[in-house]
Amino acid sequence: MIFTQEQQEFISNYANCLKKGCASVFLGSGLSRKSGYTGWADLLKKYARDIGLDIKKEQADLISLAQYYVNSKQDSIELKKYICKVFAKSDDKKANINHLLLSSFPLQSYWTTNYDTLIEQALDYRDLRYNKIIVDKDLRKNENSHPIWLYKMHGDVDNYNSIIITKQDYENYYDKYEMVLAKFKSEICTKTFLFLGYSISDPNVMHILARARKVFDKNSGRTHYAVMEKPKATKPNEKTNRKYKYEIIKQQHQIADLAEYGIKVILVDDYEQITDILQEIVSIVYGKNVLISGAFEKETANNEEIRRFTENLAVWLIKNNYKIFTGYGKNLGQHIVAGAFEGCKLRTIDEKNMLESVPDVVSVNQRVVNNFNSKVFLFPFPYDVSMLKDEREDLYHRLRKNMIASTQITIIICGEKYKNSKDISDGLINSDGVIEEFEISKNQGNYILPISLTGGAAKKIMDNLELENDFYKSKAFNSLKYAKSFDEVLRSVQELLKIL
């Protein structure tokens, strides 16, 4: 997708906020429709009919419609239980690509008015732990092992009493959820929000935005963003043309009004384009995060050259400000670490030379360690821990997904293991773990660089790689595929990374 200047500026600004740790997201029902969930109008259609109203005529005020129904029945339990049933987790309604992309963002909090469990599914898929906050008392959870906070402002399907749907629910919200709203108010003032699939008409949300705008004037407050779809022209006749022009004018007024609350609207031709935007944000945030996948054995051909290549690659990556993620594959891991540590030493020397005063030896060594800790992320797999086969496979799969989620580039080196670890005379086979890491990387949209010259799974993957992207048709990628020496391989990898 070719982005407009406005879209590109938003992507750059929001990605920068993510990298600084000062971003958040607010998810509305529009984000769930891609997964098959209905909107409020469809949800309340039969209840409108039950009390003699036409849902088409009441769409401008569905909160009041829900209140009318509850008033007529003198009870809200039936309606709220129905909502819980409709939005309960089900096999035919899964988290979509947008939820998965959002779950890979380096966020500390997610806010939503959705009743469904799609964002929970996405976080679970990434094997991320989170505190779910529905009512004020949930704030006492504060578990350090769960660094992510998920705020469900309009309730959760596991508790029908928590559902916010009627006018009375909204009116009582400040009294019942004072602490949750205080949290939201704090984040609105300190973080840049991205509103997705959300009409931004919730009276409580708008009140907080207005209060924040009063504290911070238009030029000093934080800028938030909302993605909004442009009105679509339908059949070219006079009636539809009038409606289309009216929608354009109305949207312009909405954009101007939201600007008063510090929200900048980003227009898209089609809401499907949000996926491209989120992917571009992920690419910027994790663009210099590299997964090195692989393993080799003592019997692997060219293992000494593979060792030297791995160390030289790690040195270059660190010196050029990349971050390395690795599962510490057999034999390979120690050489990644050795190269990365050397790269950190070289970076520290460069930094020292830029300083006016030369630091003492202790501070230099500490800077090397600090550089290493910020640039290298190790995910050792518990090979020697006793567990059932299925349990081990599930654990490894979750570890791999979690490790790969924060990367955009996957470099695959060799990938061989003994067919029988107890009798190495049976020879070598391709590592199924390396192949799985390739599959996860491919499905995530990572750029894949298999080092064919190292043999093993890397060669198999390169030989069968079928990805429609100009990157894989480039001269540099072709040089990587048919390289005859490890020096040529390193040059090709460096050239490919520089063009990404």
Side-chain angles (χ1 to χ4, degrees), residues 366-381:
Q366 188 60 54
R367 288 171 74 86
V368 173
V369 173
N370 291 343
N371 263 328
F372 184 86
N373 290 337
S374 66
K375 295 293 183 185
V376 182
F377 299 85
L378 304 176
F379 294 75
F381 285 57

Side-chain angles (χ1 to χ4, degrees), residues 40 59 72 85 106 115 216 227-228 244 253 261 305 381 410 424 444 447:
W40 269 40
Q59 290 201 45
S72 69
K85 180 181 178 181
Y115 307 120
F216 304 99
V227 176
M228 189 178 290
Y244 172 65
H253 287 299
Y261 293 91
E305 289 181 285
F381 285 57
T410 297
I424 63 175
Q444 182 174 287
Y447 292 97

Side-chain angles (χ1 to χ4, degrees), residues 287 289-294 313 404 407-414 434-452 457-474 476-481 489 492-497 499-500:
N289 290 5
V290 179
L291 170 73
I292 300 181
S293 172
L313 172 65
I404 296 168
T407 66
Q408 275 287 285
I409 300 159
T410 297
I411 298 175
I412 302 169
I413 300 173
C414 192
V434 171
I435 292 173
E436 184 182 17
E437 287 173 12
F438 156 69
E439 292 291 347
I440 295 171
S441 298
K442 182 183 70 172
N443 292 337
Q444 182 174 287
N446 279 23
Y447 292 97
I448 313 293
L449 280 69
I451 311 303
S452 187
K459 186 176 189 312
K460 177 183 177 181
I461 290 167
M462 177 66 93
D463 290 344
N464 294 285
L465 197 63
E466 294 181 1
L467 295 171
E468 292 298 321
N469 189 302
D470 289 341
F471 175 79
Y472 300 102
K473 299 173 185 176
S474 66
F477 192 85
N478 204 48
S479 297
L480 174 66
K481 184 173 184 177
V489 168
S492 296
V493 170
Q494 292 168 354
E495 187 177 343
L496 284 166
L497 294 184
I499 65 175
L500 288 178

